Amino acid sequence: MPLPQITQLQVPSSLDSLAKVLSWFDQLYQSFIPKSVWLRCQLALAEGFTNAVRHAHQGLSSDLQIDLEVTILDRQIEIRIWDFGAPFDLMKYIKDIPMDIDHHSGGGRGLKLMRDIADYLSYDHGEDGRNCLLIIKQF
């Protein structure tokens, strides 16, 4: 398939959709991408998706959808996740996460994991009222 390869998926804002998201992502794998990079991107996608469901869409209509997009280029993978949550300053939030996170707690590590995996990470509010989490990983 010629590059760039851009693939999109829309799923209900539900943790039940995570299996479908991960299955979709697995189908996009290209052999020239190092498997270790692919698995780290899969983890970042899972964290970003579950954060959108659990945090961005918390208390909002169960009818909301989450849009996902993966772009595969010859030396990088771009993952975009759109949500309808309240915008916030992602970099400030990450900076303020304590270094000694409780590793036995049920959450709190996802944003730090995404930051550690990504070569570029942003969360921007768009003109359409949605936020876009952008994760870029180079290889």
Side-chain angles (χ1 to χ4, degrees):
M1 181 174 285
L3 298 177
Q5 176 187 346
I6 302 170
T7 309
Q8 298 173 331
L9 177 70
Q10 185 177 70
V11 294
S13 180
S14 167
L15 293 178
D16 293 338
S17 299
L18 181 58
K20 180 177 182 176
V21 169
L22 295 177
S23 175
W24 165 76
F25 185 73
D26 282 343
Q27 294 173 18
L28 304 178
Y29 177 70
Q30 301 291 320
S31 61
F32 66 88
I33 302 169
K35 195 67 170 175
S36 61
V37 169
W38 189 257
L39 292 173
R40 289 175 62 83
C41 288
Q42 181 185 55
L43 176 58
L45 171 64
E47 289 294 339
F49 177 78
T50 57
N51 279 351
V53 172
R54 287 183 176 149
H55 303 293
H57 287 177
Q58 182 180 21
L60 299 179
S61 170
S62 60
D63 294 336
L64 287 177
Q65 300 282 305
I66 294 177
D67 292 317
L68 303 125
E69 180 180 282
V70 172
T71 302
I72 298 174
L73 302 160
D74 61 349
R75 297 198 181 266
Q76 79 180 27
I77 300 168
E78 300 175 359
I79 299 170
R80 290 174 177 81
I81 303 170
W82 286 274
D83 68 61
F84 290 94
F88 72 101
D89 185 340
L90 175 67
M91 290 306 135
K92 180 182 181 324
Y93 189 85
I94 289 174
K95 187 176 92 64
D96 292 343
I97 294 175
M99 294 300 286
D100 56 345
I101 294 174
D102 179 1
H103 294 284
H104 301 291
S105 71
R109 298 181 302 272
L111 291 176
K112 185 176 181 329
L113 270 172
M114 285 187 285
R115 184 203 61 202
D116 291 347
I117 290 169
D119 292 307
Y120 178 82
L121 183 67
S122 68
Y123 186 71
D124 297 310
H125 189 69
E127 292 179 12
D128 63 356
R130 299 184 302 168
N131 304 299
C132 181
L133 174 67
L134 172 60
I135 304 162
I136 297 178
K137 181 68 180 165
Q138 298 172 341
F139 56 90

